[in-house]
Amino acid sequence: DAGVTQSPTHLIKTRGQQVTLRCSPKSGHDTVSWYQQALGQGPQFIFQYYEEEERQRGNFPDRFSGHQFPNYSSELNVNALLLGDSALYLCASSPVEGYGYTFGSGTRLTVV
Amino acid sequence: SQQGEEDPQALSIQEGENATMNCSYKTSINNLQWYRQNSGRGLVHLILIRSNEREKHSGRLRVTLDTSKKSSSLLITASRAADTASYFCATGPYNNNDMRFGAGTRLTVKP
């Protein structure tokens, strides 16, 4: 049973560019949440998707946007990249009922 | 914004010793969860304790919850070098919606 899959593993982008990160949830999970984790910090909630809609959003600017597809996979898009966007981006999936997220291994984004 | 705050920020112990990490949070919760993260990779769910529970065990892990003090503790008994990781507490008001993490405790277990 595959867990959460994220791609790519690592990514280097230049300031001002745009990036798309991808996430496939665990089988049986239909809710996807995205987190940003700066070095030495805890994960910060970006947003959550359920039934292809953004259900909740954390304190992130509109440069951060997302999408969920009918197969429950999700994308995180970041426009106009800043140096401060350099971080580990984690995707987590969860079932509608029940508790406990399953996290992917993350995408390490470096903005230069 | 962070919800939980772990204490201490870093902890270094010898193999075989017990490790205790604490977490404080700010708002009412339905449950509190502990996660582990190795070397900046994905988080692994360790244990969940509901707001009406005071203590829970899972193998070498023991979690306590004091809702009156808005605090929780994670005890790892008989620690091993493989327990070296960062440990985070996370709170979620309604099921898994909008789960918030603390900054974590970095545990180092020396062989």
Side-chain angles (χ1 to χ4, degrees):
Chain A
D1 182 20
V4 177
T5 304
Q6 289 188 246
S7 63
T9 304
H10 295 86
L11 201 55
I12 300 175
K13 288 286 189 178
T14 304
R15 275 180 301 175
Q17 285 188 317
Q18 179 265 345
V19 68
T20 297
L21 310 182
R22 295 177 175 83
C23 172
S24 293
K26 181 178 179 179
S27 177
H29 288 185
D30 51 14
T31 302
V32 174
S33 302
W34 286 92
Y35 287 81
Q36 180 196 64
Q37 186 178 23
L39 197 62
Q41 300 297 315
Q44 297 283 322
F45 175 74
I46 303 175
F47 42 55
Q48 183 181 79
Y49 276 84
Y50 170 67
E51 291 188 342
E52 303 179 47
E53 296 284 337
E54 183 182 290
R55 182 159 68 172
Q56 294 226 17
R57 188 179 182 92
N59 188 26
F60 278 80
D62 292 344
R63 297 187 298 108
F64 289 77
S65 63
H67 188 78
Q68 186 178 36
F69 299 94
N71 66 354
Y72 308 123
S73 66
S74 177
E75 289 182 349
L76 164 65
N77 301 293
V78 187
N79 295 322
L81 284 167
L82 304 173
L83 295 179
D85 294 331
S86 295
L88 180 69
Y89 287 84
L90 294 164
C91 170
S93 70
S94 56
V96 175
E97 299 296 328
Y99 299 90
Y101 282 11
T102 299
F103 280 85
S105 296
T107 294
R108 173 73 62 187
L109 172 65
T110 302
V111 182
V112 297
Chain B
S1 62
Q2 303 283 149
Q3 162 70 313
E5 292 187 9
E6 289 88 347
D7 169 58
Q9 290 185 330
L11 180 62
S12 181
I13 60 175
Q14 294 294 135
E15 213 167 23
E17 294 181 338
N18 295 341
T20 300
M21 290 160 269
N22 303 297
C23 168
S24 60
Y25 57 91
K26 299 173 184 175
T27 62
S28 297
I29 61 172
N30 282 2
N31 64 77
L32 185 143
Q33 303 176 50
W34 285 90
Y35 286 80
R36 163 189 166 141
Q37 184 178 40
N38 285 49
S39 302
R41 303 307 292 174
L43 282 78
V44 175
H45 182 257
L46 295 176
I47 195 167
L48 176 149
I49 186 165
R50 300 176 196 275
S51 59
N52 62 353
E53 298 175 312
R54 292 297 168 258
E55 186 171 312
K56 201 163 183 179
H57 296 253
S58 177
R60 295 185 295 113
L61 306 180
R62 181 173 79 98
V63 169
T64 62
L65 179 64
D66 187 336
T67 53
S68 67
K69 296 180 179 178
K70 291 187 169 58
S71 67
S72 173
S73 67
L74 170 66
L75 169 67
I76 303 175
T77 60
S79 64
R80 306 166 182 168
D83 294 329
T84 295
S86 290
Y87 292 82
F88 296 90
C89 68
T91 57
Y94 303 105
N95 290 333
N96 286 322
N97 288 355
D98 195 14
M99 192 166 60
R100 303 294 180 104
F101 288 83
T105 292
R106 289 174 293 284
L107 173 66
T108 301
V109 181
K110 300 175 183 177

